[in-house]
Amino acid sequence: MRLSHKIFLVILLSGLPFTFSFSQNITLNFQEALGDFDSSMTTISGDLIIETTFPFDPIVDLSALSNITSIQGDLHIISNGALTNLDGLADLTSIGG
């Protein structure tokens, strides 16, 4: 078992709180991409870009992002005419440095 797996297992079994983060920019261009989003992620260390570029599958629901509490970069919401609310970002408490 790799060291990173052992550390994760120890944290998990100890009951200590932990967060999952992603350290690059994330671009979501269509609704199916949100379906593939890791819902356990709580922090994005880069930018989050939400921009519908595939009109056959417009972004209409951000609920897959409901565990995100922090975006350390910028948040861009661009060209999303079918998106009627931002409810999936309700737990977001900080953006940027």
Side-chain angles (χ1 to χ4, degrees), residues 21-70:
S21 66
F22 192 77
S23 62
Q24 297 181 12
N25 296 338
I26 296 176
T27 301
L28 302 169
N29 298 111
F30 51 98
Q31 188 63 46
E32 187 176 342
L34 277 108
D36 295 337
F37 189 79
D38 181 359
S39 62
S40 66
M41 189 180 311
T42 58
T43 300
I44 298 172
S45 296
D47 296 344
L48 175 59
I49 303 160
I50 303 168
E51 178 180 16
T52 296
T53 57
F54 298 102
F56 61 87
D57 189 16
I59 296 173
V60 296
D61 179 17
L62 299 178
S63 62
L65 305 176
S66 63
N67 287 328
I68 300 293
T69 58
S70 175

